[in-house]
């Protein structure tokens, strides 16, 4: 399970936290897009984006705990799944998923370089 998260002192935690916070905003802005562009029913649009927003908020709030990173990965999947309701969310959430994965990989590289036995 340790492979799915970064150390609490890793500087990439701030970037991951920022990505999650901005995802909450983008997920919320997806509601008008779903309603106006793709005519998704109001209840479905609000319910699905709320789930994605709550996952991203929960991940941001618990990022320093072991449960934070699995919630963060789940938030990425939830964001991408919003694309099935409105294709614009594939692009918006895809960008955030790439930022999340990129920051995570860079954080792992930082941790590897910080270890004295790493080469």
């Amino acid at each position: 399970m340790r492979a799915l998260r970064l150390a609490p002192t890793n500087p990439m935690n701030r970037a991951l936290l920022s990505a999650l916070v901005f995802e909450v905003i983008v997920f919320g802005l997806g509601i008008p897009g779903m309603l106006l562009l793709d005519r998704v029913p109001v209840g479905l649009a609000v319910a699905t984006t709320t789930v994605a927003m709550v996952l991203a908020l929960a991940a941001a709030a618990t990022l320093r705990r072991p449960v934070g990173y699995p919630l963060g990965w789940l938030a990425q999947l939830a964001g991408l799944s919003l694309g099935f309701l409105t294709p614009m969310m594939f692009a918006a959430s895809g960008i955030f998923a790439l930022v999340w994965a990129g920051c995570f990989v860079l954080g792992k590289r930082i941790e590897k370089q910080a270890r004295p036995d790493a080469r």
Side-chain angles (χ1 to χ4, degrees), residues 41-55:
V42 175
L44 181 61
V46 171
T48 55
T49 54
T50 299
V51 168
M53 290 168 66
V54 167
L55 278 171

Side-chain angles (χ1 to χ4, degrees), residues 19 21 28 31 41 47 58 74 84 86:
V21 169
I31 295 172
L74 193 59
F84 291 110
T86 182

Side-chain angles (χ1 to χ4, degrees), residues 66-85:
V67 71
Y69 280 91
L71 285 175
W73 290 106
L74 193 59
Q76 305 313 308
L77 290 175
L80 288 169
S81 69
L82 292 176
F84 291 110
L85 296 175

Side-chain angles (χ1 to χ4, degrees), residues 22-116:
F22 284 116
E23 277 182 288
V24 172
I25 296 166
V26 169
F27 293 163
L29 291 173
I31 295 172
M34 288 181 189
L35 299 176
L36 298 174
L37 298 176
D38 294 305
R39 308 275 187 235
V40 175
V42 175
L44 181 61
V46 171
T48 55
T49 54
T50 299
V51 168
M53 290 168 66
V54 167
L55 278 171
L57 273 175
T62 60
L63 201 57
R64 290 188 176 249
R65 297 186 193 118
V67 71
Y69 280 91
L71 285 175
W73 290 106
L74 193 59
Q76 305 313 308
L77 290 175
L80 288 169
S81 69
L82 292 176
F84 291 110
L85 296 175
T86 182
M88 69 173 183
M89 290 306 288
F90 279 129
S93 297
I95 291 168
F96 278 107
L98 287 173
V99 167
W100 172 269
C103 289
F104 186 80
V105 168
L106 288 174
K108 283 295 187 184
R109 287 183 183 170
I110 289 170
E111 287 181 3
K112 186 176 180 182
Q113 285 181 341
R115 279 186 254 141

